[in-house]
């Protein structure tokens, strides 16, 4: 079989002293961290779209990267692309992948043709999965690229667009089930608005919930036991996206009774677009019992869009893995690199180097997060900070045993609270010590 990554070897762990660009410095898949091999903590996945499809086009310029895989016929190209993807994952030791329906199979002239292409590619990919042991993390449908979705999909003003999206989602769920995926993602690329002057916001949100309910009913009826995910994002491409952030999505899920079936797929760059830290989004999901999966990438703090860069910031990966460990790890989810190489990094080798940097950054984050937990100072500090709720009046508040009048009587008797320092600077130095010490 032709090699699409001839200059990329099978990438191995060589340790932090290695200068070999095609080696892992920190990702040592079988190394045990807190009782589990690294690869099970991290569950890395390849994003089909950025890795195999995106050619570097931006609003100001054409593609800089060849992504035709030497083929002109769309189906031959889809097969070559799949071969390239599985070669890549095998060489990097990536055990999962994620896809949109249109990443794996080309759109035909009619819906029937598109569906036939998808079915054929699902069987083709199933063959590659059986041969390599690589698994599907989650599937999704691209209900945002085609002009029929210019006003939205589930939230379109046009009921035929809603129906079309629903049909596409049905087939994408089938494909996910057929390939053994444990997750199905909704990322509402056009599910929002440009102006409220032309928008029935109430109906649009009700309809989005209707589409999700239909998807759950269908998936469950076909034996899908995995998680449905919503991937929050505040804006881009629309001015306002309904799935703004985790807290907003939780309100939506509870309002429509979808919270039993849906969890969150949290993307780092979407968190920062919503003016939250990545850790904030993960924490919000964790404390509400909806932590599911992660789209691993990072944004540029100077740019206001989804740059989807490969994650290299070890503070962020450490605090992310801290939340993942505290959540008890992934069950159906994993770390999907929803990240792309920069437009100027146009070679196939660059893709491997990018994944190596991202996987190493997360491995290092995992090691440091485990070290922070084992060190215990951060956890202990937080525990002590709230100690007043363990006894006396604090315990009565937590147990729901006091009224406002009783609290007033307590304040009259005890006067001003005695305050203690939050010690942010000290804690930041503890974190530095753990990461660099
Ligand atoms: C775009 C999203 C997208 C989803 C899948 O910003 O991150 O790539 O992950 O549709
Ligand atoms: Ni994403
Ligand atoms: Ni994104």
């Amino acid at each position: 079989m032709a090699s699409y990554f001839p200059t990329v070897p099978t990438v191995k762990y060589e340790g932090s002293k290695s200068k070999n660009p095609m080696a892992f410095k920190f990702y040592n898949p079988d190394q045990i961290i807190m009782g589990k091999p690294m690869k099970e903590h991290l569950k890395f996945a390849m994003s089909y779209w950025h890795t195999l499809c995106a050619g570097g086009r931006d609003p100001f310029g054409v593609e800089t990267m060849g992504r035709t895989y030497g083929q002109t016929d769309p189906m031959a190209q889809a097969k070559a692309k799949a071969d390239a993807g599985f070669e890549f994952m095998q060489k990097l030791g990536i055990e999962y992948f994620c896809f949109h329906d249109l990443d794996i199979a080309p759109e035909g002239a009619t819906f029937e043709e598109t569906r036939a292409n998808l079915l054929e590619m699902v069987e083709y990919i199933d063959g590659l999965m059986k041969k390599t042991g690589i698994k599907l993390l989650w599937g999704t449908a691209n209900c945002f690229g085609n002009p029929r979705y210019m006003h939205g999909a589930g939230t379109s003003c046009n009921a035929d667009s809603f129906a079309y999206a629903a049909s596409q989602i049905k087939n994408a769920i089938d494909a996910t089930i057929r390939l053994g995926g444990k997750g199905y993602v909704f990322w509402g690329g056009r599910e929002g608005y440009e102006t409220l002057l032309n928008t029935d916001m109430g109906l649009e949100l009700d309809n989005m919930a209707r589409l999700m309910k239909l998807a759950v009913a269908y998936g469950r009826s076909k034996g899908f036991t995995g998680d449905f995910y919503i991937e929050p994002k505040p804006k881009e491409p629309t001015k306002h996206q309904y799935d703004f952030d985790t807290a907003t999505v939780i309100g939506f899920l509870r309002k429509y009774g979808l919270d039993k079936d849906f969890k969150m797929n949290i993307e780092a760059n979407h968190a920062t677009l919503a003016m939250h830290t990545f850790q904030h989004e993960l924490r919000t999901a964790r404390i509400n019992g909806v932590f599911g999966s992660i789209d691993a990438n990072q944004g540029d703090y100077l740019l206001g869009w989804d740059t989807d860069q490969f994650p290299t910031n070890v503070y962020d990966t450490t605090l992310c893995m801290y939340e993942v460990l505290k959540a008890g790890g992934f069950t159906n989810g994993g770390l999907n690199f929803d990240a792309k190489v920069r437009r100027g990094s146009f070679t196939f080798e660059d893709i491997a180097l990018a994944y190596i940097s991202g996987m190493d950054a997360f491995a290092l984050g995992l090691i440091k997060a485990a070290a922070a937990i084992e060190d215990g100072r951060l956890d202990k500090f937080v525990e002590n900070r709230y100690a007043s709720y363990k006894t006396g009046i604090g315990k009565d508040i937590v147990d729901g045993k006091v009224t406002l009048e009783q609290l007033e009587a307590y304040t009259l008797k005890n006067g001003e609270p005695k305050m203690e320092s939050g010690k942010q600077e000290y804690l930041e130095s503890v974190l530095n010590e753990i990461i660099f010490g």
Side-chain angles (χ1 to χ4, degrees), residues 41-64:
H41 279 289
L42 295 166
K43 289 180 73 184
F44 289 131
M46 178 195 77
S47 64
Y48 216 96
W49 53 103
H50 282 320
T51 313
L52 305 170
C53 309
R57 193 165 31 159
D58 74 9
F60 304 97
V62 298
E63 303 200 340
T64 57

Side-chain angles (χ1 to χ4, degrees), residues 258-323:
L258 288 160
D259 48 322
K260 298 284 167 292
D261 294 286
F262 277 84
K263 292 197 161 62
M264 237 40 74
N265 181 38
I266 292 179
E267 178 165 322
N269 204 162
H270 297 182
T272 49
L273 282 181
M275 305 297 275
H276 299 308
T277 61
F278 187 20
Q279 191 188 13
H280 167 95
E281 286 294 86
L282 293 163
R283 179 76 60 94
T284 305
R286 168 158 81 82
I287 63 172
N288 284 288
V290 290
F291 167 69
S293 202
I294 288 178
D295 269 11
N297 61 16
Q298 76 185 25
D300 184 314
Y301 291 112
L302 300 183
L303 300 174
W305 65 91
D306 202 10
T307 56
D308 287 342
Q309 282 158 248
F310 274 85
T312 52
N313 183 321
V314 177
Y315 281 103
D316 286 345
T317 60
T318 300
L319 295 172
C320 165
M321 290 314 297
Y322 177 86
E323 294 301 323

Side-chain angles (χ1 to χ4, degrees), residues 113-153:
E113 225 175 276
T114 307
R115 188 178 56 181
N117 289 348
L118 181 69
L119 291 174
E120 190 178 334
M121 281 311 300
V122 164
E123 293 314 309
Y124 188 79
I125 288 175
D126 184 54
L128 293 172
M129 290 171 69
K130 291 217 167 84
K131 222 189 294 172
T132 58
I134 288 169
K135 299 177 277 287
L136 174 65
L137 190 68
W138 53 254
T140 187
N142 178 333
C143 295
F144 44 85
N146 192 288
R148 75 177 74 91
Y149 300 124
M150 66 173 76
H151 302 306

Side-chain angles (χ1 to χ4, degrees), residues 205-221:
L205 283 161
D206 288 350
N207 281 348
M208 194 158 89
R210 288 184 178 110
L211 181 59
M212 288 174 179
K213 281 192 180 161
L214 290 169
V216 170
Y218 180 75
R220 298 299 183 221
S221 79

Side-chain angles (χ1 to χ4, degrees), residues 193-244:
Y193 61 79
E194 297 299 334
T195 172
L196 284 175
L197 293 175
N198 67 11
T199 302
D200 184 341
M201 194 174 179
L203 178 65
E204 290 201 1
L205 283 161
D206 288 350
N207 281 348
M208 194 158 89
R210 288 184 178 110
L211 181 59
M212 288 174 179
K213 281 192 180 161
L214 290 169
V216 170
Y218 180 75
R220 298 299 183 221
S221 79
K222 295 285 167 184
F224 178 66
T225 54
D227 291 319
F228 288 90
Y229 301 116
I230 291 185
E231 183 179 322
K233 185 175 184 182
K235 57 187 171 186
E236 195 206 15
T238 61
K239 168 204 178 90
H240 177 94
Q241 253 145 248
Y242 293 130
D243 300 332
F244 195 91

